[in-house]
Amino acid sequence: ASPWPAAPVSVGFDALRRSPHWASPRGHFDPSWLSLTARPGWLGLRGRQSPFSGYDQSLVARRIQNFDFSAETRVDFAPPASFQQMAGLICLYDTMKFIYLRMYYSQSLGGPALGILRAENGKRQELTDYRVAVPAGQTAVHLRVIARDLALQFAWSADGKAWQDIGSTFDETT
């Protein structure tokens, strides 16, 4: 028998405070930036600093414990006309290495978009070739990452049923 309990297949945000599987880097869950009650069944986050910051990120994380995994979430976000606000699904090693599928306001597309932001040894890479305009008037999208031997593939869906890959497969083994 393993000394560790089996990781759950699905963990809802309602288990946030009592589950050892949820974490927030460099801080505790705090009602000043996180809410489980403002919209029942949803995790509400008030944005703070960027993923590159070593301080005050609004990030709820689940530790990756296997080389093969998948994660899926639904994001409801209406980005203002500013590139500085974003919400999405991130695979994070630290502030110097991550890959982030997020919804943001694209000035070049003139509206909400999905795109991939990557940090490789602290160097910011905006992967604009993979941008996708969010359909007009839609604020909620489903985001997913599937990893096989830590080769990550992101996908998105308007309805949670018909999925479209976004970006190439990213090798995150290094």
Side-chain angles (χ1 to χ4, degrees):
S2 171
W4 304 102
V9 173
S10 177
V11 180
F13 291 125
D14 57 339
L16 193 65
R17 296 197 189 277
R18 61 184 185 278
S19 173
H21 298 287
W22 292 111
S24 179
R26 293 172 290 284
H28 299 286
F29 298 133
D30 185 288
S32 68
W33 63 271
L34 178 145
S35 173
L36 293 169
T37 58
R39 187 174 175 188
W42 290 75
L43 169 68
L45 297 175
R46 182 184 63 78
R48 296 184 298 168
Q49 295 187 18
S50 88
F52 292 96
S53 174
Y55 307 95
D56 297 330
Q57 294 178 2
S58 295
L59 176 65
V60 175
R62 168 77 164 77
R63 184 177 308 276
I64 296 172
Q65 296 175 288
N66 299 295
F67 293 109
D68 294 341
F69 69 91
S70 65
E72 184 179 318
T73 192
R74 182 175 177 206
V75 174
D76 192 350
F77 177 60
S82 168
F83 69 93
Q84 295 177 314
Q85 295 185 29
M86 59 192 87
L89 179 63
I90 190 169
C91 293
L92 174 88
Y93 182 76
D94 61 18
T95 59
M96 303 289 280
K97 182 172 178 60
F98 61 80
I99 188 159
Y100 186 20
L101 172 60
R102 84 263 189 256
M103 186 187 294
Y104 68 106
Y105 184 87
S106 169
Q107 292 179 329
S108 58
L109 295 178
L114 296 171
I116 298 173
L117 176 63
R118 187 174 192 175
E120 195 63 51
N121 295 321
K123 182 181 175 194
R124 176 189 176 109
Q125 298 173 330
E126 185 78 38
L127 305 178
T128 56
D129 290 347
Y130 302 128
R131 266 186 323 197
V132 174
V134 173
Q138 185 166 352
T139 61
V141 294
H142 298 258
L143 305 177
R144 177 173 73 188
V145 63
I146 296 176
R148 298 294 174 253
D149 293 324
L150 289 184
L152 305 178
Q153 177 64 63
F154 285 111
W156 78 280
S157 172
D159 60 8
K161 296 174 186 162
W163 290 90
Q164 298 173 353
D165 287 348
I166 184 169
S168 62
T169 301
F170 299 97
D171 180 4
E172 294 302 304
T173 58
T174 57

